[in-house]
Amino acid sequence: MIQVYKRINKSVIEVDPQEITEEYDFTDQWVHMSNPTDKEIELVSSRTKIPEEYIKAALDSEERAHCEKDDGVMMVVTDIPITEEDDDKYTYATLPFGCVTTDSTIVTVCLNETSVINDLMAGRYVKDFNIHKRTRFLLQLQYVIAKKYLQYLKQIDRASQRVQTELEKAMKNEGLVEMLSLEKSLVYFSTSLRANTAVLDKFPRMIKFFEEDEDLWDDVLIENRQAIEMSNIYRDILNGTMDTYASIISNNLNVVMKTLTVLTLLIDTPAMIAALWGMNTGVPFEGKLWGFWVVVGINIAVCIALIIIFAKKKMLK
């Protein structure tokens, strides 16, 4: 799918899709492509003079974050956070997002639809959104991506707190599986954020910053660094929580096994004594009317002795 945006006066509006034909002029406009077809890639490439491999770079879900510049065409591929719905629950992952700029056109490419575009258009995180200033657009895009990471990290933290509350009430496998999924998401985020940082570090050598963009550049670095720190903190907390629950499960299993062992001894010992007196051979008190009560008394005495021993060893708690 192709979406084209252009600036009219001080507003950025979307071009009617029916106007986008093979002869459409993309000059001074922003073209966004979501999971484009080969025909759409060929159209944009031919009209903007951008190599097809630059456009296709972000369409590989395993593509690493990187940037390169050649003949006035700059390509930046960074990872963006996404949400996926799975069994009425949201999971988090990352996906490559490409931004290619020329002297006259901006092209962004992603394998799936993403809320980053909506955030840019709505001015949710940035103001004075201008597609005519290539450097500022690129920095604003990276700023929105960093903000998106922070937003999803807060959601992950709230989800982990909810699951912990549920696990405190009842230790269920579903809760532990969800915790593991959140931990995996944080690993994805942390890895992608570090890769994005490596790309951002190359910007000063590849892009000429204007004086009015310096503050925005600092904000991008700060937000990205904060996202990395939050991701690492939440991951450490989640790792510690998972280790704690593993210890609790192991301890509960030990308690159950100890209880079963005590009950087995208390039940089997009297049964063994009674079995000995029930043999078809000569036994003490055989033929005595009071012999039964003697055996019962021995059983009671043995049980009391075992209970005292277990109590002293604190095995009855």
Side-chain angles (χ1 to χ4, degrees), residues 57-65 76-82 94-99 109-112 114 192 196:
L59 298 179
D60 181 4
S61 59
E62 302 298 328
E63 184 73 14
R64 61 180 179 84
V76 178
V77 177
T78 52
D79 292 328
I80 62 172
I82 60 171
T94 59
L95 201 64
F97 186 94
C99 179
V109 190
C110 190
L111 191 58
N112 297 335
T114 170
S192 296
N196 287 356

Side-chain angles (χ1 to χ4, degrees), residues 19 45 51 87 112 129 155 200 205 230 242 265 268:
E19 297 181 16
S45 177
D87 296 334
N112 297 335
F129 176 49
Q155 292 179 6
L200 293 176
R205 301 194 301 269
M230 288 180 60
M242 291 291 289
L265 290 173
D268 286 355

